[in-house]
C-alpha cells in the first residue's frame, strides 16, 4: 500500500517534472551496486532481467555519457536534455560479468567506484557474508576500462563510515585510495564516491585537499551547473523499479519524496555517529 501511494504521488508530479526538465535540463546520475539473481530482495541488487529492461529504456530514450563528460558539460553550462550517467558502487564482479555485456550491447558507458581493499582481495563487503569472491580484482578492473567511455573512480580503501573515523584515518581512506589505484596501474577519473553516502564538510574538504576533481553522494536529485561538484546528487535504482517506476525516477518524479527521506536518514545517521564518537571518547 505504501509503495502504491508513492507511485500515485510520483505520477501526480509527472507533468510538472516534464516542464521542469524542459526549462532547466540537468544531469541525472544513476546509482547501482550489484546486478545479479538473488533468492530474496536486496536493496542494492538489481536482477539481470530488470537491469536489461532499464538499459533498454536508457538506450531508446536517453543520452548516456561518461561521468567525466558530464562534469565538463556542467562546468561549461551546456547541459542537454535527457542526459544520464550510470555509476556502480564497490566494484562488484557481477558489474563486469552481468552488467557490462548488456551495456556494451547497447553502447552505454558507466563508471565503477572501486574500494581498493576489495579489489586487492584484502577484504570484501560484509553485507553479503559470502565465501565466494564478490569483487573485481585489479586485472578485471582494467578489463572494465577497455570498453569506450567506461571509467573507474575512488570509493575509499576499506569502505568505512567516514564520519566515524579519526582525521588521520579519514585522510588515509581518501588519499590512500587514489594512491592504491596508481600503484595497481589503474587509470581513474579523479572522482570520489563517499562510502554509504556518508559526508560532512570535513570529508568533502579532505576529498578536495587530496586532489580529486569531484565527488558523488547518495543525496537524490538532478545536477545543474550550479551544483557543488563535491556534493553531486544521484538517483538510486532498485530491482523494484519496473519500466514505469524507472521512467518516473528518470523524470524526477520521486526527487521530492526521496529528498524528504534522505534528510531524515542523514539526521539519524549524524546522531548515531555522534553517539559513537562520544562512546569512543569515554572508552579512551
Amino acid at each position: 500500500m505504501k509503495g502504491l501511494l508513492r507511485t500515485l504521488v510520483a505520477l501526480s508530479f509527472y507533468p510538472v517534472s516534464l516542464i521542469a526538465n524542459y526549462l532547466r535540463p540537468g544531469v541525472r546520475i544513476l546509482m547501482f551496486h550489484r546486478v545479479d539473481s538473488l533468492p530474496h530482495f536486496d536493496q542494492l541488487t538489481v536482477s539481470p532481467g530488470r537491469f536489461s529492461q532499464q538499459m533498454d529504456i536508457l538506450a531508446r530514450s536517453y543520452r548516456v555519457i561518461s561521468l567525466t563528460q558530464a562534469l565538463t558539460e556542467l562546468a561549461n553550462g551546456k547541459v542537454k536534455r535527457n542526459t544520464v550517467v550510470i555509476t556502480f558502487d564497490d566494484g562488484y564482479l557481477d558489474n563486469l560479468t552481468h552488467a557490462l555485456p548488456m551495456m556494451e550491447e547497447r553502447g552505454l558507458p558507466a563508471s565503477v567506484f572501486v574500494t581498493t581493499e576489495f579489489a586487492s582481495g584484502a577484504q570484501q563487503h560484509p553485507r553479503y557474508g559470502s565465501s565466494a569472491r564478490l569483487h573485481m580484482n585489479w586485472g578485471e578492473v582494467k578489463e572494465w576500462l577497455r570498453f569506450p567511455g567506461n571509467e573507474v573512480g575512488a570509493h575509499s580503501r576499506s569502505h568505512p563510515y567516514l564520519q566515524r573515523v579519526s582525521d588521520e584515518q579519514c585522510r588515509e581512506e581518501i588519499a590512500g585510495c587514489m594512491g592504491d589505484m596508481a600503484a595497481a596501474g589503474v587509470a581513474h577519473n579523479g572522482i570520489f564516491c563517499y562510502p554509504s553516502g556518508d559526508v560532512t564538510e570535513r570529508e568533502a574538504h579532505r576529498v578536495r585537499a587530496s586532489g580529486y576533481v569531484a565527488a558523488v553522494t547518495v543525496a537524490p536529485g538532478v545536477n545543474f551547473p550550479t551544483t557543488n561538484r563535491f556534493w553531486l546528487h544521484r538517483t538510486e535504482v532498485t530491482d523494484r523499479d519496473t519500466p514505469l517506476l524507472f521512467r518516473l525516477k528518470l523524470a524526477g518524479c520521486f526527487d521530492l519524496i526521496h529528498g524528504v527521506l534522505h534528510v531524515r536518514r542523514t539526521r539519524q545517521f549524524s546522531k548515531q555517529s555522534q553517539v559513537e564518537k562520544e562512546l569512543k571518547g569515554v572508552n579512551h
Side-chain angles (χ1 to χ4, degrees):
M1 179 61 70
K2 186 183 294 185
L4 176 60
L5 180 60
R6 286 185 185 178
T7 301
L8 292 174
V9 172
L11 279 169
S12 71
F13 289 148
Y14 188 63
V16 175
S17 297
L18 286 180
I19 295 172
N21 291 333
Y22 180 81
L23 294 177
R24 193 187 183 199
V27 174
R28 187 167 297 275
I29 304 174
L30 302 182
M31 176 179 63
F32 293 89
H33 287 76
R34 301 191 65 187
V35 177
D36 203 358
S37 297
L38 299 184
H40 52 80
F41 174 76
D42 174 56
Q43 183 74 18
L44 303 185
T45 303
V46 177
S47 66
R50 182 70 79 200
F51 187 77
S52 180
Q53 290 178 336
Q54 294 163 349
M55 295 304 102
D56 278 342
I57 290 171
L58 292 178
R60 287 196 303 263
S61 306
Y62 289 84
R63 174 177 177 258
V64 180
I65 62 176
S66 71
L67 189 50
T68 295
Q69 183 178 346
L71 287 175
T72 299
E73 293 183 3
L74 286 168
N76 293 335
K78 298 179 179 179
V79 179
K80 297 181 180 180
R81 297 185 184 91
N82 297 328
T83 296
V84 171
V85 173
I86 302 171
T87 66
F88 295 86
D89 288 10
D90 304 332
Y92 291 99
L93 179 58
D94 54 54
N95 298 169
L96 180 71
T97 58
H98 294 161
L100 182 57
M102 287 186 270
M103 293 187 297
E104 188 173 9
E105 181 182 356
R106 297 164 176 82
L108 305 176
S111 291
V112 165
F113 291 106
V114 173
T115 301
T116 56
E117 290 189 5
F118 295 170
S120 70
Q123 61 172 304
Q124 62 181 19
H125 202 296
R127 179 184 181 92
Y128 299 99
S130 172
S131 57
R133 184 164 64 92
L134 288 174
H135 304 279
M136 287 186 276
N137 60 34
W138 287 121
E140 289 158 341
V141 171
K142 293 175 183 177
E143 186 177 344
W144 169 271
L145 286 169
R146 291 175 187 164
F147 180 74
N150 275 8
E151 297 180 349
V152 168
H155 198 35
S156 79
R157 303 186 84 178
S158 65
H159 205 285
Y161 291 111
L162 290 176
Q163 280 189 47
R164 303 177 186 178
V165 303
S166 67
D167 289 344
E168 179 60 23
Q169 187 178 350
C170 181
R171 185 191 67 79
E172 279 296 316
E173 287 287 343
I174 294 170
C177 182
M178 184 184 286
D180 288 345
M181 287 192 287
V186 171
H188 60 84
N189 59 12
I191 301 169
F192 190 79
C193 174
Y194 303 105
S196 303
D198 177 20
V199 55
T200 65
E201 287 292 346
R202 183 192 72 159
E203 292 78 49
H205 171 75
R206 175 49 57 193
V207 169
R208 287 192 297 268
S210 297
Y212 292 94
V213 299
V216 299
T217 71
V218 298
V222 71
N223 298 282
F224 302 107
T226 55
T227 304
N228 189 317
R229 295 298 176 271
F230 293 90
W231 296 77
L232 293 170
H233 306 291
R234 290 193 295 171
T235 299
E236 183 181 40
V237 182
T238 77
D239 196 54
R240 290 176 175 160
D241 289 329
T242 62
L244 171 62
L245 295 180
F246 188 57
R247 288 183 182 277
L248 290 175
K249 278 191 173 181
L250 290 168
C253 299
F254 282 99
D255 287 354
L256 179 60
I257 300 170
H258 291 164
V260 172
L261 295 174
H262 178 71
V263 169
R264 185 172 66 180
R265 172 192 175 276
T266 301
R267 288 175 178 172
Q268 292 172 343
F269 191 85
S270 295
K271 288 180 181 178
Q272 186 176 355
S273 297
Q274 185 61 38
V275 169
E276 289 195 10
K277 284 183 180 180
E278 291 174 356
L279 288 174
K280 286 181 179 179
V282 170
N283 292 334
H284 286 82

mmCIF file with all atom_site columns, all heavy atoms in Angstrom, residues 76-94:
data_model
loop_
_atom_site.group_PDB
_atom_site.id
_atom_site.type_symbol
_atom_site.label_atom_id
_atom_site.label_alt_id
_atom_site.label_comp_id
_atom_site.label_asym_id
_atom_site.label_entity_id
_atom_site.label_seq_id
_atom_site.pdbx_PDB_ins_code
_atom_site.Cartn_x
_atom_site.Cartn_y
_atom_site.Cartn_z
_atom_site.occupancy
_atom_site.B_iso_or_equiv
_atom_site.pdbx_formal_charge
_atom_site.auth_seq_id
_atom_site.auth_comp_id
_atom_site.auth_asym_id
_atom_site.auth_atom_id
_atom_site.pdbx_PDB_model_num
ATOM 1   N N   . ASN A 1 76 ? 30.769 23.834  -18.269 1.00 0.00 ? 76 ASN A N   1
ATOM 2   C CA  . ASN A 1 76 ? 30.566 24.759  -19.389 1.00 0.00 ? 76 ASN A CA  1
ATOM 3   C C   . ASN A 1 76 ? 29.154 25.341  -19.430 1.00 0.00 ? 76 ASN A C   1
ATOM 4   O O   . ASN A 1 76 ? 28.873 26.224  -20.241 1.00 0.00 ? 76 ASN A O   1
ATOM 5   C CB  . ASN A 1 76 ? 30.850 24.050  -20.719 1.00 0.00 ? 76 ASN A CB  1
ATOM 6   C CG  . ASN A 1 76 ? 32.314 23.682  -20.876 1.00 0.00 ? 76 ASN A CG  1
ATOM 7   O OD1 . ASN A 1 76 ? 33.185 24.314  -20.274 1.00 0.00 ? 76 ASN A OD1 1
ATOM 8   N ND2 . ASN A 1 76 ? 32.597 22.666  -21.670 1.00 0.00 ? 76 ASN A ND2 1
ATOM 9   N N   . GLY A 1 77 ? 28.294 24.839  -18.550 1.00 0.00 ? 77 GLY A N   1
ATOM 10  C CA  . GLY A 1 77 ? 26.920 25.316  -18.523 1.00 0.00 ? 77 GLY A CA  1
ATOM 11  C C   . GLY A 1 77 ? 26.111 24.908  -19.729 1.00 0.00 ? 77 GLY A C   1
ATOM 12  O O   . GLY A 1 77 ? 25.103 25.545  -20.059 1.00 0.00 ? 77 GLY A O   1
ATOM 13  N N   . LYS A 1 78 ? 26.543 23.839  -20.391 1.00 0.00 ? 78 LYS A N   1
ATOM 14  C CA  . LYS A 1 78 ? 25.854 23.372  -21.599 1.00 0.00 ? 78 LYS A CA  1
ATOM 15  C C   . LYS A 1 78 ? 25.345 21.955  -21.385 1.00 0.00 ? 78 LYS A C   1
ATOM 16  O O   . LYS A 1 78 ? 25.972 20.972  -21.796 1.00 0.00 ? 78 LYS A O   1
ATOM 17  C CB  . LYS A 1 78 ? 26.792 23.433  -22.803 1.00 0.00 ? 78 LYS A CB  1
ATOM 18  C CG  . LYS A 1 78 ? 27.269 24.839  -23.136 1.00 0.00 ? 78 LYS A CG  1
ATOM 19  C CD  . LYS A 1 78 ? 28.222 24.837  -24.325 1.00 0.00 ? 78 LYS A CD  1
ATOM 20  C CE  . LYS A 1 78 ? 28.680 26.248  -24.659 1.00 0.00 ? 78 LYS A CE  1
ATOM 21  N NZ  . LYS A 1 78 ? 29.625 26.269  -25.808 1.00 0.00 ? 78 LYS A NZ  1
ATOM 22  N N   . VAL A 1 79 ? 24.220 21.834  -20.709 1.00 0.00 ? 79 VAL A N   1
ATOM 23  C CA  . VAL A 1 79 ? 23.642 20.535  -20.400 1.00 0.00 ? 79 VAL A CA  1
ATOM 24  C C   . VAL A 1 79 ? 22.478 20.260  -21.347 1.00 0.00 ? 79 VAL A C   1
ATOM 25  O O   . VAL A 1 79 ? 21.559 21.077  -21.470 1.00 0.00 ? 79 VAL A O   1
ATOM 26  C CB  . VAL A 1 79 ? 23.151 20.475  -18.939 1.00 0.00 ? 79 VAL A CB  1
ATOM 27  C CG1 . VAL A 1 79 ? 22.526 19.127  -18.646 1.00 0.00 ? 79 VAL A CG1 1
ATOM 28  C CG2 . VAL A 1 79 ? 24.302 20.755  -17.977 1.00 0.00 ? 79 VAL A CG2 1
ATOM 29  N N   . LYS A 1 80 ? 22.518 19.114  -22.005 1.00 0.00 ? 80 LYS A N   1
ATOM 30  C CA  . LYS A 1 80 ? 21.447 18.747  -22.914 1.00 0.00 ? 80 LYS A CA  1
ATOM 31  C C   . LYS A 1 80 ? 20.366 17.971  -22.177 1.00 0.00 ? 80 LYS A C   1
ATOM 32  O O   . LYS A 1 80 ? 20.629 17.327  -21.156 1.00 0.00 ? 80 LYS A O   1
ATOM 33  C CB  . LYS A 1 80 ? 22.004 17.908  -24.068 1.00 0.00 ? 80 LYS A CB  1
ATOM 34  C CG  . LYS A 1 80 ? 22.998 18.659  -24.936 1.00 0.00 ? 80 LYS A CG  1
ATOM 35  C CD  . LYS A 1 80 ? 23.493 17.782  -26.075 1.00 0.00 ? 80 LYS A CD  1
ATOM 36  C CE  . LYS A 1 80 ? 24.504 18.545  -26.944 1.00 0.00 ? 80 LYS A CE  1
ATOM 37  N NZ  . LYS A 1 80 ? 25.011 17.702  -28.060 1.00 0.00 ? 80 LYS A NZ  1
ATOM 38  N N   . ARG A 1 81 ? 19.166 18.015  -22.702 1.00 0.00 ? 81 ARG A N   1
ATOM 39  C CA  . ARG A 1 81 ? 18.039 17.322  -22.071 1.00 0.00 ? 81 ARG A CA  1
ATOM 40  C C   . ARG A 1 81 ? 18.249 15.809  -22.103 1.00 0.00 ? 81 ARG A C   1
ATOM 41  O O   . ARG A 1 81 ? 18.886 15.276  -22.984 1.00 0.00 ? 81 ARG A O   1
ATOM 42  C CB  . ARG A 1 81 ? 16.720 17.690  -22.755 1.00 0.00 ? 81 ARG A CB  1
ATOM 43  C CG  . ARG A 1 81 ? 16.370 19.158  -22.638 1.00 0.00 ? 81 ARG A CG  1
ATOM 44  C CD  . ARG A 1 81 ? 14.992 19.447  -23.221 1.00 0.00 ? 81 ARG A CD  1
ATOM 45  N NE  . ARG A 1 81 ? 14.721 20.886  -23.184 1.00 0.00 ? 81 ARG A NE  1
ATOM 46  C CZ  . ARG A 1 81 ? 15.012 21.719  -24.162 1.00 0.00 ? 81 ARG A CZ  1
ATOM 47  N NH1 . ARG A 1 81 ? 15.560 21.256  -25.269 1.00 0.00 ? 81 ARG A NH1 1
ATOM 48  N NH2 . ARG A 1 81 ? 14.759 23.017  -24.047 1.00 0.00 ? 81 ARG A NH2 1
ATOM 49  N N   . ASN A 1 82 ? 17.656 15.152  -21.105 1.00 0.00 ? 82 ASN A N   1
ATOM 50  C CA  . ASN A 1 82 ? 17.676 13.683  -21.019 1.00 0.00 ? 82 ASN A CA  1
ATOM 51  C C   . ASN A 1 82 ? 19.078 13.103  -20.952 1.00 0.00 ? 82 ASN A C   1
ATOM 52  O O   . ASN A 1 82 ? 19.359 12.030  -21.487 1.00 0.00 ? 82 ASN A O   1
ATOM 53  C CB  . ASN A 1 82 ? 16.924 13.066  -22.203 1.00 0.00 ? 82 ASN A CB  1
ATOM 54  C CG  . ASN A 1 82 ? 15.453 13.435  -22.213 1.00 0.00 ? 82 ASN A CG  1
ATOM 55  O OD1 . ASN A 1 82 ? 14.845 13.621  -21.161 1.00 0.00 ? 82 ASN A OD1 1
ATOM 56  N ND2 . ASN A 1 82 ? 14.879 13.555  -23.389 1.00 0.00 ? 82 ASN A ND2 1
ATOM 57  N N   . THR A 1 83 ? 19.962 13.810  -20.250 1.00 0.00 ? 83 THR A N   1
ATOM 58  C CA  . THR A 1 83 ? 21.334 13.327  -20.077 1.00 0.00 ? 83 THR A CA  1
ATOM 59  C C   . THR A 1 83 ? 21.450 12.513  -18.793 1.00 0.00 ? 83 THR A C   1
ATOM 60  O O   . THR A 1 83 ? 21.038 12.961  -17.720 1.00 0.00 ? 83 THR A O   1
ATOM 61  C CB  . THR A 1 83 ? 22.330 14.496  -20.043 1.00 0.00 ? 83 THR A CB  1
ATOM 62  O OG1 . THR A 1 83 ? 22.311 15.164  -21.315 1.00 0.00 ? 83 THR A OG1 1
ATOM 63  C CG2 . THR A 1 83 ? 23.737 14.006  -19.772 1.00 0.00 ? 83 THR A CG2 1
ATOM 64  N N   . VAL A 1 84 ? 22.014 11.318  -18.916 1.00 0.00 ? 84 VAL A N   1
ATOM 65  C CA  . VAL A 1 84 ? 22.106 10.385  -17.793 1.00 0.00 ? 84 VAL A CA  1
ATOM 66  C C   . VAL A 1 84 ? 23.522 9.822   -17.706 1.00 0.00 ? 84 VAL A C   1
ATOM 67  O O   . VAL A 1 84 ? 24.180 9.608   -18.728 1.00 0.00 ? 84 VAL A O   1
ATOM 68  C CB  . VAL A 1 84 ? 21.096 9.226   -17.968 1.00 0.00 ? 84 VAL A CB  1
ATOM 69  C CG1 . VAL A 1 84 ? 21.321 8.122   -16.939 1.00 0.00 ? 84 VAL A CG1 1
ATOM 70  C CG2 . VAL A 1 84 ? 19.664 9.747   -17.854 1.00 0.00 ? 84 VAL A CG2 1
ATOM 71  N N   . VAL A 1 85 ? 23.973 9.571   -16.466 1.00 0.00 ? 85 VAL A N   1
ATOM 72  C CA  . VAL A 1 85 ? 25.237 8.896   -16.199 1.00 0.00 ? 85 VAL A CA  1
ATOM 73  C C   . VAL A 1 85 ? 24.937 7.651   -15.369 1.00 0.00 ? 85 VAL A C   1
ATOM 74  O O   . VAL A 1 85 ? 24.137 7.700   -14.442 1.00 0.00 ? 85 VAL A O   1
ATOM 75  C CB  . VAL A 1 85 ? 26.216 9.811   -15.432 1.00 0.00 ? 85 VAL A CB  1
ATOM 76  C CG1 . VAL A 1 85 ? 27.466 9.037   -15.008 1.00 0.00 ? 85 VAL A CG1 1
ATOM 77  C CG2 . VAL A 1 85 ? 26.601 11.019  -16.275 1.00 0.00 ? 85 VAL A CG2 1
ATOM 78  N N   . ILE A 1 86 ? 25.591 6.545   -15.704 1.00 0.00 ? 86 ILE A N   1
ATOM 79  C CA  . ILE A 1 86 ? 25.426 5.294   -14.962 1.00 0.00 ? 86 ILE A CA  1
ATOM 80  C C   . ILE A 1 86 ? 26.644 5.090   -14.071 1.00 0.00 ? 86 ILE A C   1
ATOM 81  O O   . ILE A 1 86 ? 27.788 5.160   -14.536 1.00 0.00 ? 86 ILE A O   1
ATOM 82  C CB  . ILE A 1 86 ? 25.289 4.092   -15.915 1.00 0.00 ? 86 ILE A CB  1
ATOM 83  C CG1 . ILE A 1 86 ? 24.096 4.271   -16.864 1.00 0.00 ? 86 ILE A CG1 1
ATOM 84  C CG2 . ILE A 1 86 ? 25.134 2.787   -15.129 1.00 0.00 ? 86 ILE A CG2 1
ATOM 85  C CD1 . ILE A 1 86 ? 24.034 3.237   -17.975 1.00 0.00 ? 86 ILE A CD1 1
ATOM 86  N N   . THR A 1 87 ? 26.404 4.822   -12.775 1.00 0.00 ? 87 THR A N   1
ATOM 87  C CA  . THR A 1 87 ? 27.508 4.528   -11.861 1.00 0.00 ? 87 THR A CA  1
ATOM 88  C C   . THR A 1 87 ? 27.197 3.274   -11.052 1.00 0.00 ? 87 THR A C   1
ATOM 89  O O   . THR A 1 87 ? 26.046 2.953   -10.788 1.00 0.00 ? 87 THR A O   1
ATOM 90  C CB  . THR A 1 87 ? 27.784 5.687   -10.886 1.00 0.00 ? 87 THR A CB  1
ATOM 91  O OG1 . THR A 1 87 ? 26.671 5.852   -9.993  1.00 0.00 ? 87 THR A OG1 1
ATOM 92  C CG2 . THR A 1 87 ? 28.039 6.989   -11.628 1.00 0.00 ? 87 THR A CG2 1
ATOM 93  N N   . PHE A 1 88 ? 28.268 2.579   -10.651 1.00 0.00 ? 88 PHE A N   1
ATOM 94  C CA  . PHE A 1 88 ? 28.186 1.408   -9.774  1.00 0.00 ? 88 PHE A CA  1
ATOM 95  C C   . PHE A 1 88 ? 29.111 1.619   -8.593  1.00 0.00 ? 88 PHE A C   1
ATOM 96  O O   . PHE A 1 88 ? 30.245 2.079   -8.768  1.00 0.00 ? 88 PHE A O   1
ATOM 97  C CB  . PHE A 1 88 ? 28.625 0.133   -10.512 1.00 0.00 ? 88 PHE A CB  1
ATOM 98  C CG  . PHE A 1 88 ? 27.742 -0.276  -11.657 1.00 0.00 ? 88 PHE A CG  1
ATOM 99  C CD1 . PHE A 1 88 ? 27.946 0.251   -12.923 1.00 0.00 ? 88 PHE A CD1 1
ATOM 100 C CD2 . PHE A 1 88 ? 26.724 -1.193  -11.470 1.00 0.00 ? 88 PHE A CD2 1
ATOM 101 C CE1 . PHE A 1 88 ? 27.147 -0.128  -13.998 1.00 0.00 ? 88 PHE A CE1 1
ATOM 102 C CE2 . PHE A 1 88 ? 25.918 -1.580  -12.532 1.00 0.00 ? 88 PHE A CE2 1
ATOM 103 C CZ  . PHE A 1 88 ? 26.121 -1.052  -13.801 1.00 0.00 ? 88 PHE A CZ  1
ATOM 104 N N   . ASP A 1 89 ? 28.675 1.261   -7.402  1.00 0.00 ? 89 ASP A N   1
ATOM 105 C CA  . ASP A 1 89 ? 29.497 1.394   -6.207  1.00 0.00 ? 89 ASP A CA  1
ATOM 106 C C   . ASP A 1 89 ? 30.098 0.047   -5.804  1.00 0.00 ? 89 ASP A C   1
ATOM 107 O O   . ASP A 1 89 ? 29.456 -0.999  -5.949  1.00 0.00 ? 89 ASP A O   1
ATOM 108 C CB  . ASP A 1 89 ? 28.661 1.916   -5.035  1.00 0.00 ? 89 ASP A CB  1
ATOM 109 C CG  . ASP A 1 89 ? 28.290 3.379   -5.191  1.00 0.00 ? 89 ASP A CG  1
ATOM 110 O OD1 . ASP A 1 89 ? 28.512 3.934   -6.277  1.00 0.00 ? 89 ASP A OD1 1
ATOM 111 O OD2 . ASP A 1 89 ? 27.737 3.953   -4.226  1.00 0.00 ? 89 ASP A OD2 1
ATOM 112 N N   . ASP A 1 90 ? 31.311 0.067   -5.285  1.00 0.00 ? 90 ASP A N   1
ATOM 113 C CA  . ASP A 1 90 ? 32.002 -1.037  -4.607  1.00 0.00 ? 90 ASP A CA  1
ATOM 114 C C   . ASP A 1 90 ? 32.819 -1.922  -5.535  1.00 0.00 ? 90 ASP A C   1
ATOM 115 O O   . ASP A 1 90 ? 33.690 -2.646  -5.080  1.00 0.00 ? 90 ASP A O   1
ATOM 116 C CB  . ASP A 1 90 ? 31.047 -1.934  -3.793  1.00 0.00 ? 90 ASP A CB  1
ATOM 117 C CG  . ASP A 1 90 ? 30.239 -1.160  -2.777  1.00 0.00 ? 90 ASP A CG  1
ATOM 118 O OD1 . ASP A 1 90 ? 30.719 -0.114  -2.308  1.00 0.00 ? 90 ASP A OD1 1
ATOM 119 O OD2 . ASP A 1 90 ? 29.116 -1.592  -2.455  1.00 0.00 ? 90 ASP A OD2 1
ATOM 120 N N   . GLY A 1 91 ? 32.539 -1.935  -6.848  1.00 0.00 ? 91 GLY A N   1
ATOM 121 C CA  . GLY A 1 91 ? 33.335 -2.739  -7.762  1.00 0.00 ? 91 GLY A CA  1
ATOM 122 C C   . GLY A 1 91 ? 33.029 -4.223  -7.730  1.00 0.00 ? 91 GLY A C   1
ATOM 123 O O   . GLY A 1 91 ? 33.944 -5.063  -7.723  1.00 0.00 ? 91 GLY A O   1
ATOM 124 N N   . TYR A 1 92 ? 31.742 -4.577  -7.732  1.00 0.00 ? 92 TYR A N   1
ATOM 125 C CA  . TYR A 1 92 ? 31.354 -5.989  -7.709  1.00 0.00 ? 92 TYR A CA  1
ATOM 126 C C   . TYR A 1 92 ? 31.712 -6.691  -9.018  1.00 0.00 ? 92 TYR A C   1
ATOM 127 O O   . TYR A 1 92 ? 31.627 -6.116  -10.105 1.00 0.00 ? 92 TYR A O   1
ATOM 128 C CB  . TYR A 1 92 ? 29.861 -6.120  -7.433  1.00 0.00 ? 92 TYR A CB  1
ATOM 129 C CG  . TYR A 1 92 ? 29.492 -5.717  -6.029  1.00 0.00 ? 92 TYR A CG  1
ATOM 130 C CD1 . TYR A 1 92 ? 28.964 -4.456  -5.761  1.00 0.00 ? 92 TYR A CD1 1
ATOM 131 C CD2 . TYR A 1 92 ? 29.699 -6.586  -4.956  1.00 0.00 ? 92 TYR A CD2 1
ATOM 132 C CE1 . TYR A 1 92 ? 28.652 -4.080  -4.465  1.00 0.00 ? 92 TYR A CE1 1
ATOM 133 C CE2 . TYR A 1 92 ? 29.388 -6.221  -3.661  1.00 0.00 ? 92 TYR A CE2 1
ATOM 134 C CZ  . TYR A 1 92 ? 28.870 -4.959  -3.413  1.00 0.00 ? 92 TYR A CZ  1
ATOM 135 O OH  . TYR A 1 92 ? 28.562 -4.581  -2.139  1.00 0.00 ? 92 TYR A OH  1
ATOM 136 N N   . LEU A 1 93 ? 32.064 -7.956  -8.908  1.00 0.00 ? 93 LEU A N   1
ATOM 137 C CA  . LEU A 1 93 ? 32.416 -8.749  -10.074 1.00 0.00 ? 93 LEU A CA  1
ATOM 138 C C   . LEU A 1 93 ? 31.249 -8.855  -11.051 1.00 0.00 ? 93 LEU A C   1
ATOM 139 O O   . LEU A 1 93 ? 31.454 -8.868  -12.269 1.00 0.00 ? 93 LEU A O   1
ATOM 140 C CB  . LEU A 1 93 ? 32.864 -10.147 -9.627  1.00 0.00 ? 93 LEU A CB  1
ATOM 141 C CG  . LEU A 1 93 ? 33.262 -11.135 -10.725 1.00 0.00 ? 93 LEU A CG  1
ATOM 142 C CD1 . LEU A 1 93 ? 34.402 -10.575 -11.579 1.00 0.00 ? 93 LEU A CD1 1
ATOM 143 C CD2 . LEU A 1 93 ? 33.662 -12.478 -10.091 1.00 0.00 ? 93 LEU A CD2 1
ATOM 144 N N   . ASP A 1 94 ? 30.026 -8.902  -10.535 1.00 0.00 ? 94 ASP A N   1
ATOM 145 C CA  . ASP A 1 94 ? 28.871 -9.031  -11.429 1.00 0.00 ? 94 ASP A CA  1
ATOM 146 C C   . ASP A 1 94 ? 28.659 -7.782  -12.288 1.00 0.00 ? 94 ASP A C   1
ATOM 147 O O   . ASP A 1 94 ? 27.972 -7.837  -13.303 1.00 0.00 ? 94 ASP A O   1
ATOM 148 C CB  . ASP A 1 94 ? 27.592 -9.388  -10.667 1.00 0.00 ? 94 ASP A CB  1
ATOM 149 C CG  . ASP A 1 94 ? 27.271 -8.436  -9.521  1.00 0.00 ? 94 ASP A CG  1
ATOM 150 O OD1 . ASP A 1 94 ? 27.199 -7.222  -9.760  1.00 0.00 ? 94 ASP A OD1 1
ATOM 151 O OD2 . ASP A 1 94 ? 27.083 -8.916  -8.388  1.00 0.00 ? 94 ASP A OD2 1
#
